[in-house]
């Protein structure tokens, strides 16, 4: 008899759902809105309802469901206690216990922070395939991260593991990060941060650049112009790589992963981004770890549901 | 019937041995010289001989020995393959297989890098007692480290996990570290590094200090003078704390441990050292991890044998 797994990657506006065969193959994926009203009280019942509907649609009985994996946009500890999700209005509660109340016939529930779960998904079926440990760095609006060692998510005592974006890489910085500290990696290497840094660099010199002619340029413009040899864009990407590569070297001095996985909007520029980061990574890394590679994330928005399934299938 | 465990912490000049009851209580400890001649070919036979002699002395049969844990002064991977120990003259070989040849009646052998093993020992019976995860930072002649998560040593792909001393905390440094890079944590926070930094700081100002009157002052002098309020010594310890605290914040952004354990010669100064580090740790750490504490290592040179026993008993 065929067995199945459900993954539910809960985001601030929608929940991504995946139905997988127990060998890890994706059978169906879909989305439902995240109803954050009333302290997010509807979110998990909506997920349970979506799972029941899908089971009916495919004629799957509860005994055929190995379990449900859930990605949460906030800290989750090893016993699956959620410690506040501001985006959802959630306080502190045990998500496994809540799901067991909603779907008592499917007792096996696992949960993790969404960034960590995405890292697990990429390690399993994406850019980190074939490795046992990886650190994923997501260069999006902010900079997030996930640490997976020996196939297991590292959450940390306070759910702070993988908060790569808040490494203080520029102690002398006076402009504050959204977190309140100054000099965080996110301020230089997120899609938004690299634009801010570019504007500062452009204001400090007269080097001609096509960037000067684009009002409200984005990180995509910077990467595209660097790819065609715009001198200033190359300088910006070089400094971006200096910060990111140094942060990666700190990660290696701590856990020495098999591979780095670079995801998020900035990663769409591909080699431009990884080459710049690895150039400086090799400069700053301890010699034994110098050859560690950086892969581009492959699963995009599906990384979360794959990671959810993986949490259950291990 | 009482069961026992042996720990053998191999150093460049001596092997520290420990005989433990299987509940973790230390029954006897002793040392034998490390014979590094002929590519270190005698080291493991000597360890095996010492274990057999101790078994005879205490009337312990092989069936009463749960296993042997070994600390190695070099990289060891998860399958117990040693990847060169320059201090011992060792190349690449599997240390478990070698021990099984020497003592076939005691099949259970575990091994790890000495710094990681010491961290495990401190977590189990020393400064980190009661925690599940810890990062130990050893401030000795160099700066070493060990990472233990969920009671398990993190070795890393290349045995580079825990190489805290080689985080590049001062990218603009022009003086090279012993590793060849410039700006490593070790250059500012090891017993030797803090003296070097102090001399640079003293040469750059005229602030009076008792340090100026001590020829060839040591890190101990700096800590002692800081404790009695010598202004310059306090400034040096403050900068030491800035570097160390920042490195600790990078560790928290990666694995968010339960506790830091500070060991090595510098740790004998106690609160002077941890207070300086935590002051800056709290400045640089991501907010969720700000309250993580730093304990002073308690087991001294015995941390290794305790960690060796723990590897076997888990």
């Amino acid at each position: 008899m065929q067995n199945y797994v459900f993954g539910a990657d809960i985001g601030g506006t929608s929940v991504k759902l995946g139905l997988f065969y127990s060998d890890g193959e994706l059978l169906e994926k879909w989305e439902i809105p995240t109803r954050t009203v009333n302290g997010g009280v509807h979110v998990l019942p909506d997920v349970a309802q979506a799972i029941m509907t899908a089971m009916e649609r495919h004629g799957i009985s509860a005994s055929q469901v190995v379990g449900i994996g859930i990605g949460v946009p906030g800290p989750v500890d090893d016993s699956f206690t959620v410690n506040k999700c501001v985006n959802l209005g959630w306080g502190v509660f045990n998500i496994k216990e809540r799901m067991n109340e909603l779907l008592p016939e499917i007792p096996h529930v696992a949960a993790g922070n969404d960034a960590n779960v995405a890292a697990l998904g990429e390690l399993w079926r994406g850019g980190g395939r074939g490795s046992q440990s990886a650190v994923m760095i997501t260069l999006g609006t902010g900079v997030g991260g996930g640490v997976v060692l020996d196939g297991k998510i590292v959450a940390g005592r306070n759910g702070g593991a993988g908060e790569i974006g808040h490494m203080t890489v520029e102690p002398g910085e006076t402009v504050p990060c959204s977190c309140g500290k100054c000099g965080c990696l996110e301020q230089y290497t997120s899609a938004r941060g690299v634009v801010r840094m570019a504007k500062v660099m452009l204001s400090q010199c007269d080097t001609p650049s096509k960037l000067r002619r684009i009002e409200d340029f984005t990180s995509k413009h910077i990467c595209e112009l660097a790819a065609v040899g715009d001198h200033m864009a190359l300088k910006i990407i070089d400094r971006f790589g200096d910060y990111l590569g140094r942060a990666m070297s700190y990660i290696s001095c701590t856990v020495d992963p098999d591979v780095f996985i670079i995801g998020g909007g900035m990663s769409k520029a591909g080699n431009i981004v990884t080459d710049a980061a690895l150039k400086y990574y090799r400069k700053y890394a301890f010699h034994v770890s110098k050859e560690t590679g950086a892969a581009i994330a492959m699963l995009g928005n599906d990384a979360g549901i794959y990671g959810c399934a993986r949490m259950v299938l291990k």
Side-chain angles (χ1 to χ4, degrees), chain A:
Chain A
M1 195 165 64
Q2 187 64 54
N3 285 327
Y4 302 87
V5 176
F6 284 96
D9 183 21
I10 303 173
T13 52
S14 69
V15 180
K16 289 173 191 69
L17 288 135
L19 171 58
F20 294 82
Y21 293 114
S22 58
D23 66 357
E25 199 194 329
L26 181 64
L27 168 60
E28 187 188 10
K29 62 175 181 172
W30 72 105
E31 290 187 21
I32 60 171
T34 309
R35 288 198 288 153
T36 55
V37 292
N38 297 333
V41 73
H42 303 295
V43 177
L44 291 179
D46 286 354
V47 168
Q49 186 58 53
I51 288 171
M52 284 189 289
T53 308
M55 285 166 66
E56 229 169 273
R57 190 164 63 238
H58 291 276
I60 298 169
S61 70
S63 65
Q64 288 176 281
V65 180
V66 181
I68 302 165
I70 302 175
V72 175
V76 182
D77 74 14
D78 286 343
S79 58
F80 310 129
T81 295
V82 175
N83 188 4
K84 292 183 188 165
C85 288
V86 283
N87 290 342
L88 306 180
W90 285 0
V92 179
F93 70 100
N94 190 288
I95 193 167
K96 177 181 160 66
E97 286 169 14
R98 188 71 53 88
M99 285 304 292
N100 285 344
E101 286 162 23
L102 290 162
L103 293 171
E105 289 179 311
I106 307 173
H108 185 18
V109 173
N113 167 267
D114 53 1
N116 293 332
V117 169
L120 184 62
E122 285 287 346
L123 183 66
W124 185 40
R125 295 273 157 157
R129 211 164 170 155
S131 293
Q132 282 305 302
S133 70
V135 174
M136 182 162 168
I137 305 175
T138 306
L139 307 168
T141 314
V143 171
V147 178
V148 183
L149 301 180
D150 278 333
K152 196 177 168 307
I153 288 171
V154 176
R157 182 190 189 213
N158 313 285
E163 287 288 358
I164 312 303
H166 298 286
M167 286 185 169
T168 307
V169 292
E170 192 61 89
E173 179 65 80
T174 53
V175 177
C177 176
S178 63
C179 79
K181 291 195 299 149
C182 293
C184 293
L185 179 68
E186 179 165 302
Q187 292 183 267
Y188 314 95
T189 62
S190 69
R192 190 186 290 167
V194 74
V195 169
R196 191 192 66 86
M197 180 175 74
K199 286 181 177 164
V200 172
M201 288 174 73
L202 285 164
S203 74
Q204 288 169 342
C205 71
D206 295 321
T207 313
S209 169
K210 286 196 172 142
L211 284 171
R212 297 189 189 277
R213 278 176 263 156
I214 309 171
E215 210 179 342
D216 288 327
F217 62 82
T218 65
S219 60
K220 195 161 170 261
H221 291 117
I222 299 171
C223 293
E224 283 170 359
L225 285 172
V228 297
D230 182 281
H231 185 69
M232 202 56 209
L234 284 168
K235 255 177 93 166
I236 293 159
I237 290 298
D238 194 66
R239 193 175 298 178
F240 157 94
D242 194 333
Y243 285 119
L244 183 56
R246 184 146 55 84
M248 287 160 60
S249 77
Y250 297 148
I251 295 169
S252 277
C253 284
T254 309
V255 296
D256 187 18
D258 289 354
V259 66
F260 291 97
I261 303 169
I262 311 293
M266 285 288 291
S267 73
K268 290 184 185 142
N271 285 355
I272 285 270
V273 163
T274 49
D275 287 355
L278 286 177
K279 170 184 166 187
Y280 286 97
Y281 172 74
R282 295 199 173 113
K283 175 181 172 187
Y284 295 125
F286 190 52
H287 61 87
V288 301
S289 310
K290 266 195 202 316
E291 298 309 317
T292 305
I296 295 288
M298 287 167 58
L299 301 175
N301 288 332
D302 293 347
I305 53 173
Y306 275 95
C308 288
R310 182 58 173 165
M311 282 193 291
V312 170
L313 287 172
K314 268 188 313 174

